[in-house]
Structures are given as structure tokens and as C-alpha cells.
Amino acid sequence: MPLILGAASAAAAGGYDIDNSCRFNGDAYLHKTLGTPTNRNKWTTSVWFKKCDVDASANRRQLFQGHGGSTDYTGLVMDDSGGRVDFGNRQGSHVGRIVTNRQFQDPMGWYHVVTMWDSTESVAGDRMKLYVNGVEITSFATDTNPALNEDCAMASGDVFYVGGHGGTSYQWDGYMAELVFCDGQAYAASDFGEFSSDSSSIWIPKDPSGLTFGANGFWLDFEDSANLGNDANGGTDLTEVGLAAGDQAVDTPTNNFCTWNPLWTGRNPQSTYGASLDEGNVNWSRNDDTGVGATFALTKGKWYFESKATVYNNYTSYYWGLWNTNLENGGSNSPGYNYFTQTDGGSGIQQGNNYLLTPALSNISSKVDGTNTADYSTNKCDVGDIIGMAIDLDAGDLEFYNTNTSIATAMSLTTTAAQDRMYIVTANLAGSAGDMECNFGGCPGFTDSATNTDENGYGKFVYAPPSGFLAMCSKNLGSDGG
């Protein structure tokens, strides 16, 4: 199976760029009432997506659906038994359905899925086709072929939903980019993507503008934040429900951004401790001592990240910093809430500990590999202040900003062994309640206006990153660091 388009493919993604995606947080969808179709025997969809919810016990997550009533539907879902792709159609008592054996659970990169329905094919096994990252899937847990010339459930007056079953059930939790629906056409994955000239294992997108869309077809490129349902092909726009301009993301298949990693948290199971990742896996909340790590590992370069604490109580302490993933002297292999106390554990700042935080976060101090290095208690941070973190792994410095003013430094890496470490950005909580709104630049979790980019033109930040510091995204990894 080709690689999911992510950090490794940054240099290879230079042909057709996808500039924007849309963030769905499990509570939003788009819809459009269909007119007379070009051909109900043939249609193709193409969609790029990045998963956020990877809980195998969660409800099914619907990417799209043509809905004609309680028994008539066609659509694509990620199922609740570990991330299998489920492509099906029901028209009355007639059913066509394929469900993959393979599971697709990676929350760190982008997948591309093409579904093709062509019931005019004489060979039953050719009437439904499913491609993932350019490769046709042929191994299925369920494999029920439609009858010859069977109509799909997308008749005139039916509704096409994006992001949910009938809109409000099984709603999508993740990002979606470049959703294309071609009515009356049976296309293959190669019409929407190609293998990179740099690597035969990397699948990258192609410009879909030259395809035939048909009477009901559309192309969602999500490039207009004021109209995320805009049909870039010029047809009738889809209606938005629960989406806002802030849900337009620059985290895309051709520039993959760092987020929090739902597969790597400081204490498990997440549900026991009230963990919650939302807003595209950039915001994080807990009700007990623990931490969460990012999806990108860093070994060199200069990087920038923003966050703010928004919920606290009598015993809440927040930690921001970098966790050393290859501890030289042992220790936990997960970024727990007290990772700064571990020898060689990492570097960061700690806010407070058993202080009543009204009206300000207090007692700022810094730690390096388990040792207190400085006291910044005169630098107060109000709840809701945006804390910027500038990471310089080349010089061995880590500097923090409060609303764009420097408040603390927390790292001095001078040895060769320290320089060879691999770090991840980490947020930690000690206490019984806490929320962090965060921003890696791909799609901020803030309501604050985020209009600044790094010097390469990437990311969406509230404050401009310091000179030379970059957003953690695949294009920057490929050209400026690692």
C-alpha cells in the first residue's frame, strides 16, 4: 500500500497543490438536494481525509451519503470496528456493499479514497470498486455485488449529505479535502491522483477540473471560508450546517500539519480520565493528571506553536514543552503529567502547583531534564492568554511568549547526546480539571483571529512566529528541518 501523504512526501507534493480542507468536529455537515441524475447506473466519488476519532468503540463515521429515505441510501463510512472502509448502496431490497478487511486508523496523515459504481459492467465484481491511496482494494470482509443495471440511491429529490448519515447521525470527525462527485461517470483512482515522480510509494493529487461532473456532480475545494459549501465546478452550492469560517484549514494532503496524537497519551484508557481531543485534534482537555503528545517528532530546526489554558480549578497546573522520546536514563515511554521530573525527560515551563488560580496563572518556572532551572514567578499569565513556544533545536533553546512578549526560557542543550535526541511537543496537566486550546498552524482551536503565517507562508497563527521559526508542517520538514 502506498504511503499516506504526509511528512515523508513533502518534497514530492509539488505538482498540484490542495490549499484548503474543511474541519468537521462530529457536529457539522453539508447537504444538497439532487436534481435529475445524468445516469443512476454510473457515478464516482473522490475524497481526501485525515481522521481524528480513532476510538474503535465509537459510532460509525460517515464521509458522505446519497439519501433517499430510511431504506434507500448510498455512501462511504469508516466503520466502528477499527477503521474499515465501508462502501454501500441500498435501493429497496437491493443491496450492494463492500467492506475492507484492512483497517485505516492512522491519525497523522491523509488518505485518498475513490469509490466507483458502474452497474452496467457484465462482470459482477467490477460493478463496485474501491481505491485507497491509488491502489484498488480487492480483499473484503463483506463483498455483495449489485445486480446488472441496478440504480444507485441518488434519484431526483434525494439529498446528498457530506459529513453524516442523514446529516445528523454518524457525523464525521476529522478533516476532508477535495471532495469530488461525478454523476454518470465511472472513473478510476488514476483520474484523481498519481504516484510521485520522486517515489513510486507516494500518492499525490491531480487537478480534477478537467473531469466530467454530470448533472448532479460537484467539487468541494473549501477555498472560500465564507462559503465552505461552494461548488468549484459552478453548480449549486451545498448548504452548511454547523460549520464556520474558522473550520477552513490549511492542513491538506499536500501540506500535512502536526496535531495532537490520539494514539499516544500519558494515561490510558483515555475515557477513564476524561480525555477529550476536539477541533481537529488540536484542543485537549482532561480531568486528571496526564499528558498528550504531538504527531510530529523533531530532531533539528526552528519551530513555533501556540496554546492557551482556558479551564482550571483549585489544584490545576499546566505544563508546556518538549518531551525527549529517547530517554537516556530510562523513564516512562509516554508523556505523563510529570514528565519534567524525569531525568533526561525534556524541557519546558510549569505553571503553578496547588495554587488558587484567580485571576491569573501564577508561579511560572522552568525545568530541564527534571531540574528546576529558573523562576519566572513575576511573569503572570492570565487564563486565556496565548502562550507561544519557539523551539530552536539547532541552538538548543526553547523560549516562551505571553501574548507575543518573552516570559521564559527553558532549554540549554549543549552535548552531542542531547542534540541527537528526538522531541515531541507535549501538553501536560496536574490537577483535576483543565482545557488547552492549541494551534499548530493547520487549523487553530482558537476563536481569536489567526491571520499570520511563518516566513515561508505556511500556517495560520494569532501572532507572527519569531524570525526563522516555522510551522510544523510537511513542506517545512522537507525543506528546512526535521
Side-chain angles (χ1 to χ4, degrees):
M1 177 63 63
L3 293 175
I4 298 166
L5 192 61
S9 63
Y16 173 68
D17 268 338
I18 296 176
D19 294 327
N20 295 107
S21 66
C22 185
R23 174 178 61 190
F24 293 79
N25 202 38
D27 58 1
Y29 63 97
L30 302 113
H31 64 90
K32 171 182 179 177
T33 300
L34 301 176
T36 302
T38 298
N39 188 343
R40 291 177 65 190
N41 296 150
K42 291 184 181 183
W43 58 267
T44 310
T45 63
S46 166
V47 62
W48 293 82
F49 67 85
K50 182 175 178 179
K51 297 186 67 174
C52 288
D53 182 4
V54 294
D55 184 357
S57 65
N59 286 331
R60 297 157 62 87
R61 297 295 189 180
Q62 187 105 26
L63 283 144
F64 64 82
Q65 178 194 50
H67 190 73
S70 60
T71 61
D72 295 344
Y73 65 86
T74 187
L76 178 68
V77 303
M78 303 298 295
D79 80 2
D80 55 2
S81 56
R84 293 178 174 86
V85 178
D86 184 340
F87 166 35
N89 176 80
R90 179 187 293 274
Q91 182 71 10
S93 61
H94 300 284
V95 177
R97 186 184 181 200
I98 50 179
V99 181
T100 64
N101 281 309
R102 182 168 178 174
Q103 299 178 0
F104 302 90
Q105 281 287 58
D106 191 341
M108 292 178 273
W110 285 82
Y111 291 99
H112 180 229
V113 174
V114 171
T115 58
M116 187 277 290
W117 174 277
D118 185 358
S119 62
T120 67
E121 288 283 352
S122 59
V123 178
D126 291 338
R127 294 170 192 161
M128 295 180 72
K129 291 187 178 181
L130 174 68
Y131 303 82
V132 179
N133 294 345
V135 175
E136 184 177 355
I137 304 298
T138 57
S139 176
F140 299 108
T142 298
D143 189 1
T144 304
N145 299 307
L148 183 66
N149 295 320
E150 181 178 321
D151 287 342
C152 70
M154 283 196 269
S156 179
D158 289 353
V159 181
F160 198 109
Y161 291 97
V162 176
H165 174 86
T168 57
S169 301
Y170 310 133
Q171 289 172 298
W172 179 245
D173 187 357
Y175 301 85
M176 206 181 301
E178 205 83 338
L179 173 58
V180 176
F181 170 45
C182 295
D183 173 17
Q185 300 296 321
Y187 286 125
S190 57
D191 292 296
F192 303 93
E194 61 190 348
F195 290 104
S196 167
S197 59
D198 293 339
S199 172
S200 60
S201 64
I202 296 176
W203 182 250
I204 59 175
K206 291 168 64 174
D207 185 349
S209 61
L211 300 177
T212 299
F213 290 82
N216 283 322
F218 58 83
W219 170 18
L220 297 181
D221 62 5
F222 304 114
E223 290 189 6
D224 184 353
S225 63
N227 181 14
L228 291 170
N230 176 62
D231 179 4
N233 186 52
T236 304
D237 294 345
L238 279 71
T239 301
E240 305 161 38
V241 179
L243 293 171
D247 292 311
Q248 184 195 55
V250 293
D251 188 341
T252 74
T254 53
N255 197 10
N256 185 34
F257 274 75
C258 186
T259 64
W260 294 126
N261 188 348
L263 298 177
W264 193 3
T265 57
R267 294 178 73 177
N268 286 301
Q270 290 192 43
S271 57
T272 302
Y273 300 98
S276 177
L277 291 174
D278 60 12
E279 299 299 331
N281 283 356
V282 296
N283 287 356
W284 170 72
S285 62
R286 286 286 191 175
N287 67 4
D288 206 343
D289 303 341
T290 193
V292 65
T295 55
F296 280 29
L298 307 171
T299 60
K300 61 182 180 179
K302 297 180 180 181
W303 310 102
Y304 182 72
F305 165 74
E306 293 177 334
S307 67
K308 64 180 175 181
T310 57
V311 173
Y312 58 92
N313 69 10
N314 193 26
Y315 295 103
T316 304
S317 293
Y318 286 101
Y319 303 75
W320 293 268
L322 293 177
W323 182 68
N324 173 23
T325 65
N326 49 343
L327 294 169
E328 286 84 356
N329 295 309
S332 171
N333 63 356
S334 292
Y337 79 96
N338 61 345
Y339 79 109
F340 286 135
T341 66
Q342 301 176 35
T343 303
D344 298 318
S347 305
I349 61 170
Q350 171 187 356
Q351 161 276 312
N353 190 17
N354 297 344
Y355 280 82
L356 181 63
L357 305 179
T358 53
L361 304 181
S362 59
N363 198 38
I364 300 294
S365 63
S366 65
K367 291 178 180 287
V368 176
D369 291 341
T371 301
N372 286 322
T373 58
D375 178 7
Y376 298 97
S377 57
T378 58
N379 295 329
K380 306 296 184 181
C381 299
D382 289 331
V383 170
D385 285 349
I386 293 177
I387 307 299
M389 183 164 66
I391 306 160
D392 186 346
L393 290 176
D394 298 329
D397 297 324
L398 178 60
E399 187 165 6
F400 292 85
Y401 298 81
N402 178 8
T403 57
N404 218 29
T405 299
S406 178
I407 58 170
T409 57
M411 185 164 62
S412 180
L413 301 180
T414 56
T415 67
T416 301
Q419 293 283 1
D420 289 341
R421 291 175 174 179
M422 182 180 294
Y423 289 96
I424 61 171
V425 174
T426 314
N428 298 264
L429 170 71
S432 57
D435 274 357
M436 276 191 185
E437 295 180 357
C438 303
N439 179 21
F440 292 93
C443 195
F446 306 146
T447 56
D448 310 72
S449 176
T451 58
N452 291 290
T453 68
D454 67 18
E455 62 186 37
N456 288 338
Y458 304 134
K460 296 179 4 177
F461 296 103
V462 177
Y463 296 104
S467 178
F469 288 81
L470 305 176
M472 284 175 268
C473 60
S474 59
K475 285 192 174 180
N476 282 335
L477 284 174
S479 60
D480 298 278

